[in-house]
Amino acid sequence: MSLILGAGIGAGAYALKDRITEPEFPGIEVSTPEEVGGGVILNKPENHGIEMVSTKIAREEYAEYGISPMTENAYTLTATIEPENASNKAVDWGVEFVDPSSSWASGKSVTDYVTVTPTSDGALTATVANLGEFGEQIKVTVTSRDNSAAYASCTVDYAKRIKSAYLVDGSGAPVGQNGADWVTGLHDNFTETYIPQYMSYTVNYTYSDYTVEDTFTMTASAQLNAEFLSGLSSYVNSHASEETQFAVAILGALSGEKKNPINTGNSWYYTASASGFLSLFYANYSQPSEAAKKQALNMLADYVKSLSSGKTAAVEYKVTFTGTHSTYTLNFTQVLSGAEMTYAVTGVELNEDNLTF
C-alpha cells in the first residue's frame, strides 16, 4: 500500500489527492476497501495474514487524536490479525526511510517527517502523521508480536507541490509576490505603442521536496473590485455632461464579472495600460473612437485622484495552479494610484485662429 502526501497552507489552499496502491509483501498483502474517499484510491484487497486499512483524519479532528495543528496530513492505519480468533493480536509499529543512505535521507531522522503512534501498546490502530515535505520514500510497517513473519507495510510518498509562485512581467518586475498589491497607474496607449496592450508574463515557482513528480496547469481570473465599481459609478453619474458623454457611456458599462486575463499562451491583458484595462472589462471596446476612450481614461484618472487616499483597489486577481495531487492559489490586487495615473491628450487649441502680417 502506497500513501501519497502533499499539503500545506500558504497564499492559497491546497486541495489534496492522496493515493494508496497495492504493494508486494512476502507472505502477506494488504486488504483494503476499494475507496475510502477524500481522493484516496485503494487497490482490490488481497489477504495474507494481516489486513491494513487507511482512513484520512480531517484537520478539525486533530485535537481529538492528539495531533499537532502544524501536521500537514494525518491518517489512521488499522491492522487486522488473521485468523480472527488468534490468541495474541498484539503488534508493533515502525517507520523508516526506504533507502536511508540516499543522498536526500542521509543524516536525517525519519520521524522529523513522518511519525506512527499506536493508540496503546500493542494496539492494532495507529496514527500516521506527516510533519513536513520529504524527498525519500518512507515505509510504515506493522508486525505481529506472535509471528514476525506476519506483517504488512505501507509506503509513504510526498507529492511535489508549489510552496510559492508569483508573476514576473516582461521587464523582470515581480507581480503579486507573496500576495503583495500591484500598484499601477493607467497610461494612455491608444495611439502610442511604448506601453503595450498585452504583456508577456513568466511564473517564478518554489517547489517542495517530493518523491512523486507532479505538473501544474495555470488558470486565472480578474474581476473589478465591487467598491471600486460602485464608487466609480457614483462619480460618473454626478459628472455626466455633454462634454463627458463618451466617458460616461464607457465607464458606466464596465463589467463586474470575472474575466480571463490570459490573452494567449503567456500573454496577458496588461491592465496597467488603458487599452489593456478597457479591452478586458469593456465589452464594446472596439466600437468607440480613440478620442472617446481617451475621454474615459481622463475621467477615470479624475476619479482616482479625487479619493482622499489618492488610490483604490481596482482589480482582484486569482491565479490557480492545479496539479494531480495539490492546488496552489495566488491572490493579489491591482491598486490604481492617482500619482501614477496619466491624462490623455484629447485636443489642441491655439489662442488665435488667424494671424495677419
Side-chain angles (χ1 to χ4, degrees):
M1 179 164 57
S2 172
L3 178 61
I4 292 184
L5 308 173
I9 298 176
Y14 302 107
L16 307 181
K17 286 198 174 180
D18 307 300
R19 184 179 66 210
I20 297 177
T21 54
E22 184 178 328
E24 294 181 359
F25 301 117
I28 265 188
E29 294 186 10
V30 173
S31 171
T32 60
E34 290 191 10
E35 245 182 81
V36 172
V40 178
I41 303 171
L42 307 178
N43 284 330
K44 293 180 180 179
E46 294 184 21
N47 300 322
H48 289 278
I50 289 185
E51 177 182 318
M52 184 190 291
V53 177
S54 168
T55 304
K56 182 78 174 285
I57 300 175
R59 183 169 292 276
E60 57 268 22
E61 298 176 329
Y62 280 8
E64 178 184 342
Y65 285 85
I67 300 170
S68 166
M70 301 304 293
T71 298
E72 289 194 1
N73 292 284
Y75 289 80
T76 296
L77 288 181
T78 302
T80 302
I81 298 293
E82 296 179 359
E84 186 178 349
N85 62 354
S87 299
N88 184 359
K89 293 186 178 181
V91 295
D92 290 311
W93 296 84
V95 60
E96 62 183 344
F97 286 119
V98 170
D99 183 4
S101 62
S102 71
S103 59
W104 191 93
S106 180
K108 294 183 173 69
S109 173
V110 68
T111 53
D112 288 339
Y113 307 96
V114 171
T115 61
V116 56
T117 307
T119 53
S120 62
D121 180 51
L124 294 174
T125 302
T127 299
V128 176
N130 169 219
L131 307 181
E133 64 194 71
F134 53 89
E136 172 61 39
Q137 195 176 57
I138 291 171
K139 180 168 64 175
V140 174
T141 303
V142 57
T143 306
S144 167
R145 286 184 182 176
D146 186 59
N147 176 11
S148 61
Y151 70 92
S153 62
C154 169
T155 55
V156 184
D157 283 293
Y158 197 92
K160 179 180 182 180
R161 65 176 178 85
I162 297 173
K163 297 172 69 175
S164 68
Y166 60 89
L167 304 180
V168 179
D169 69 19
S171 70
V175 176
Q177 187 173 11
N178 299 320
D181 288 343
W182 179 36
V183 182
T184 75
L186 275 186
H187 304 285
D188 172 22
N189 67 334
F190 297 115
T191 53
E192 301 290 340
T193 58
Y194 64 96
I195 300 171
Q197 180 176 358
Y198 305 104
M199 175 75 78
S200 293
Y201 288 91
T202 57
V203 183
N204 187 306
Y205 296 98
T206 301
Y207 295 108
S208 68
D209 289 324
Y210 58 92
T211 61
V212 172
E213 178 64 85
D214 204 353
T215 56
F216 297 86
T217 301
M218 181 179 68
T219 56
S221 67
Q223 186 173 25
L224 291 179
N225 179 279
E227 290 186 14
F228 166 76
L229 268 182
S230 176
L232 179 61
S233 176
S234 296
Y235 183 88
V236 166
N237 290 335
S238 65
H239 290 75
S241 68
E242 185 176 349
E243 290 74 20
T244 62
Q245 60 180 309
F246 299 117
V248 170
I250 293 172
L251 297 180
L254 293 180
S255 173
E257 297 180 355
K258 289 183 179 180
K259 301 293 183 179
N260 179 8
I262 302 175
N263 177 41
T264 179
N266 66 339
S267 173
W268 292 46
Y269 287 85
Y270 186 56
T271 53
S273 70
S275 63
F277 185 92
L278 290 181
S279 61
L280 182 59
F281 295 112
Y282 179 56
N284 300 317
Y285 176 77
S286 61
Q287 295 179 6
S289 66
E290 300 302 322
K293 296 172 188 175
K294 287 175 180 286
Q295 188 183 101
L297 170 62
N298 289 349
M299 178 172 275
L300 183 53
D302 282 338
Y303 167 64
V304 175
K305 290 176 182 289
S306 73
L307 299 173
S308 59
S309 63
K311 60 183 180 180
T312 179
V315 185
E316 306 295 343
Y317 277 91
K318 180 178 181 179
V319 188
T320 304
F321 305 88
T322 304
T324 301
H325 303 287
S326 66
T327 298
Y328 180 88
T329 300
L330 168 67
N331 295 294
F332 65 92
T333 301
Q334 180 183 2
V335 173
L336 293 181
S337 168
E340 298 188 35
M341 300 288 287
T342 61
Y343 287 100
V345 175
T346 57
V348 176
E349 291 186 6
L350 284 174
N351 61 339
E352 298 288 344
D353 58 6
N354 177 264
L355 292 175
T356 301
F357 293 100

